[in-house]
Amino acid sequence: MSQLLQYDLPSGSAGRSRVTSHGSGIVMSQHEFLKDFRNLLYAQYIFWGKNSTGFSDLWEELARLRNNFSHNFGTINYPHNIGESSLKLQNDFIINLPANIQPIFRELKLSNIEASQYLDTVKKFRQYLKKQHIKYSLDENYTSDVEYPDWIQLVITIRIKSNFNKVYSKVKSKIYKILDSTASDNLYQKLIIKIQSH
Amino acid sequence: MFDPTEFLKQAKQWVENRDQASLRSATSRAYYSLYNATLEYLKTNRKKELIQGIRNENGNSSRPKDLNNKLLKALDRNYLGSIVPMHKVVSDVCHNLRARQFGSQLRTNHEFRKTADYDMDETMDYDEVKMMIKDIDFLLSQLKQKKL
């Protein structure tokens, strides 16, 4: 959790507002903050649906803020609760990742949206396998290269428990179709999908 | 010049021995048949993109190196291996050519190859290696048809 951004936006601040991050000391402009916040809301919309608790209120608040920002450059007021809400949304995505993946997710330079895409991808893999009545186990982990330790990748291992030879091609084809529809280029490039027999 | 797809023929023979040493060797040879064939394909047909991929990888590195343009443009194997992880570059270039699945399968098979060569605790499975070889056969046929 120490890698999470924490917004610290004083009321009425002009120009560049300071957004601190433990360790990295990122400074984010107001515009960047709004863009990031909008993206978080959009990810929330995709992942939990429009009617999830608090979503509508946040969306309206964002619209108001963006409008305010457009017309009053540099004089925007950030209600304290928006910063808290934004942090909560980030927490939601990160907390839902498996504990072993959380620490390296930021290191892989994956965004909050990509965290939601990742969760969505795994969810769809599981849904598909369940729907097909395929007995499986799914493991999420990461790997780094022996020769190039900086080359880190996420690994999703699907172990088919029965009829591996019979279902392998069908499963592989569907898994890549799901991936094509859920993952950004950046996420896709950092994922390894292993389909193995149990 | 040696045709790397010959490695796959060897892998197909070895896998039928079914013992662990043969399955591991087959996995490794099968991956290298794909990797080397893809690298040769990119050198011949997508040289510009390959060089750009190497530049990008070096630029994104935590410790980028000053590039020797002469050796870079000559695609000198020893030089390239000394500046960037070429297995990553090759899969990334495929990815950027909109062959995302091809790039992904290269990385997956690279992972299997690492397991086969380094992880002595793992037991290789005959059916899995057979499927890997079948997949690589298909990917090589895509290269022959110049589908990248």
Side-chain angles (χ1 to χ4, degrees):
Chain A
M1 301 307 296
S2 63
Q3 302 260 338
L4 286 173
L5 286 171
Q6 287 190 331
Y7 296 101
D8 175 20
L9 299 161
S11 287
S13 61
R16 293 184 74 81
S17 298
R18 186 167 182 79
V19 179
T20 57
S21 166
H22 293 294
S24 61
I26 293 169
V27 176
M28 191 180 277
S29 71
Q30 290 179 342
H31 178 71
E32 285 166 335
F33 167 75
L34 283 178
K35 194 175 156 195
D36 191 45
F37 184 54
R38 182 194 62 194
N39 287 343
L40 280 165
L41 284 174
Y42 186 58
Q44 166 93 336
Y45 173 81
I46 294 169
F47 194 65
W48 281 289
K50 196 177 175 181
N51 297 320
S52 60
T53 313
F55 178 82
S56 302
D57 291 346
L58 283 170
W59 188 257
E60 281 170 22
E61 186 59 24
L62 176 71
R64 192 186 68 75
L65 280 172
R66 289 187 72 198
N67 193 41
N68 190 359
F69 182 71
S70 304
H71 292 95
N72 300 293
F73 185 83
T75 59
I76 189 168
N77 286 323
Y78 289 96
H80 186 58
N81 66 335
I82 287 295
E84 283 178 358
S85 304
S86 175
L87 183 61
K88 181 186 173 301
L89 290 178
Q90 291 195 20
N91 284 347
D92 284 345
F93 291 122
I94 298 298
I95 285 170
N96 280 306
L97 292 170
N100 57 332
I101 289 177
Q102 284 180 23
I104 61 121
F105 216 78
R106 296 285 182 204
E107 207 174 319
L108 286 166
K109 292 177 185 164
L110 292 163
S111 66
N112 289 295
I113 287 189
E114 285 162 334
S116 82
Q117 288 174 354
Y118 176 84
L119 291 166
D120 191 33
T121 302
V122 173
K123 191 167 103 181
K124 284 185 173 160
F125 284 175
R126 289 187 186 279
Q127 281 171 345
Y128 163 72
L129 292 162
K130 192 181 173 189
K131 199 175 168 189
Q132 295 295 312
H133 305 292
I134 293 168
K135 287 182 182 172
Y136 73 98
S137 66
L138 191 151
D139 176 61
E140 299 164 70
N141 217 323
Y142 66 93
T143 179
S144 65
D145 194 77
V146 177
E147 292 168 45
Y148 301 95
D150 289 345
W151 183 15
I152 303 167
Q153 297 174 95
L154 295 165
V155 184
I156 299 175
T157 306
I158 297 167
R159 290 190 180 274
I160 308 289
K161 292 186 176 177
S162 56
N163 294 322
F164 174 76
N165 288 334
K166 198 176 166 188
V167 302
Y168 171 83
S169 297
K170 191 174 72 170
V171 169
K172 195 184 95 178
S173 169
K174 183 65 183 179
I175 290 298
Y176 275 108
K177 268 187 192 161
I178 291 170
L179 206 53
D180 274 333
S181 68
T182 53
S184 68
D185 269 346
N186 189 35
L187 174 61
Y188 201 124
Q189 224 160 349
K190 285 160 186 169
L191 266 182
I192 289 178
I193 312 292
K194 291 165 82 176
I195 303 168
Q196 298 187 254
S197 67
H198 202 261
Chain B
M1 185 181 152
F2 177 71
D3 176 3
T5 61
E6 291 291 319
F7 280 147
L8 194 66
K9 291 180 187 168
Q10 183 75 69
K12 285 176 182 173
Q13 290 173 21
W14 278 340
V15 71
E16 295 307 330
N17 291 342
R18 293 181 179 238
D19 61 277
Q20 282 298 302
S22 299
L23 293 176
R24 285 173 185 275
S25 302
T27 300
S28 187
R29 289 305 89 194
Y31 169 72
Y32 275 108
S33 73
L34 178 63
Y35 168 73
N36 284 303
T38 309
L39 180 57
E40 283 308 313
Y41 176 91
L42 296 176
K43 281 180 176 178
T44 308
N45 301 289
R46 298 286 192 167
K47 187 175 176 181
K48 192 176 145 195
E49 289 89 344
L50 180 60
I51 290 174
Q52 189 56 49
I54 294 163
R55 287 187 191 281
N56 291 346
E57 183 60 34
N58 182 54
N60 292 333
S61 158
S62 52
R63 275 169 285 178
K65 299 179 174 87
D66 290 332
L67 294 176
N68 180 325
N69 280 327
K70 193 179 169 187
L71 291 173
L72 178 62
K73 283 179 181 168
L75 294 172
D76 183 277
R77 187 177 64 83
N78 291 330
Y79 175 66
L80 299 182
S82 71
I83 55 170
V84 287
M86 279 305 290
H87 295 262
K88 179 177 189 298
V89 169
V90 169
S91 72
D92 285 351
V93 172
C94 292
H95 183 100
N96 293 333
L97 291 170
R98 309 307 304 162
R100 301 207 304 178
Q101 198 182 126
F102 193 103
S104 175
Q105 290 198 59
L106 253 172
R107 287 185 285 108
T108 299
N109 288 316
H110 180 239
E111 191 63 19
F112 281 133
R113 196 284 294 175
K114 286 195 294 182
T115 302
D117 284 340
Y118 296 111
D119 188 349
M120 297 300 118
D121 293 330
E122 191 77 17
T123 303
M124 304 301 287
D125 181 89
Y126 169 76
D127 289 331
E128 284 174 13
V129 181
K130 283 281 278 187
M131 287 301 175
M132 178 196 178
I133 288 171
K134 192 179 162 191
D135 285 344
I136 289 176
D137 226 349
F138 174 73
L139 295 171
L140 288 173
S141 75
Q142 285 194 311
L143 282 182
K144 274 185 187 165
Q145 294 168 46
K146 297 197 173 182
K147 287 192 173 175
L148 280 189

